Amino acid sequence: MIYLERLRPAHVTEVHLQPAQQLVQAVLSPGYAEQLVAQPGVAWAALLDGQTLACAGMTEVGPQRAIAWALFSEAALRHFGPIHRATRQILAEAPWRRVEMAVDARHAAAIRWAERLGFVREGLMRAYTADGRDCFLYARVK
């Protein structure tokens, strides 16, 4: 059974990213993980039998605004239903009026998931990532 727990730095460094997110793996150092966990907001890990399947969260960038992020392993994709339902619940309870996220323009599954979560595409951010990939800006406004 999938369960969620508050994000710890070890979760971030333990998750084996799905192929579509492999480029991010290089920055998931222990120092980065500690910074991510220390940010104001909410962050959680999805676990199965002690294995970190996914990490996600919303980092507060103002009193009414947060930036959402997620890291998924391939194993998480096989258990997507419970993770999706938990994420919807956490978003519904989030205190921020506006939650934004950047979604890789070539990652069709991530685009579908953002839209299923109620995010609306607001624009294209050209050469947004460190390696020059384009991303769409999505936002969910209460």
Side-chain angles (χ1 to χ4, degrees):
M1 172 135 181
I2 301 290
Y3 67 96
L4 301 183
E5 67 180 44
R6 185 183 175 128
L7 188 70
R8 291 180 285 120
H11 294 132
V12 176
T13 56
E14 290 169 1
V15 68
H16 297 285
L17 295 178
Q18 64 178 310
Q21 291 184 310
Q22 283 292 314
L23 293 170
V24 178
Q25 193 80 52
V27 300
L28 299 182
S29 67
Y32 178 84
E34 288 174 19
Q35 289 177 352
L36 192 58
V37 170
Q39 298 295 319
V42 295
W44 62 95
L47 292 98
L48 176 66
D49 299 327
Q51 177 187 6
T52 303
L53 299 180
C55 302
M58 291 172 273
T59 302
E60 184 174 289
V61 292
Q64 291 298 322
R65 187 170 156 243
I67 305 292
W69 57 272
L71 303 169
F72 276 83
S73 68
E74 248 184 299
L77 303 177
R78 292 189 294 274
H79 302 280
F80 186 74
I83 293 170
H84 172 72
R85 287 188 294 278
T87 303
R88 276 194 359 217
Q89 182 66 37
I90 292 166
L91 277 166
E93 296 170 1
W96 306 283
R97 181 178 62 240
R98 179 182 173 88
V99 178
E100 303 169 3
M101 75 166 98
V103 179
D104 187 326
R106 297 182 303 189
H107 195 295
I111 291 167
R112 282 191 306 276
W113 189 45
E115 292 172 356
R116 283 182 64 199
L117 289 171
F119 285 81
V120 175
R121 187 183 305 180
E122 293 189 334
L124 176 66
M125 300 182 294
R126 296 186 55 189
Y128 183 77
T129 65
D131 64 341
R133 287 175 290 127
D134 294 345
C135 287
F136 292 120
L137 172 63
Y138 275 86
R140 178 183 160 126
V141 179
K142 290 182 183 180

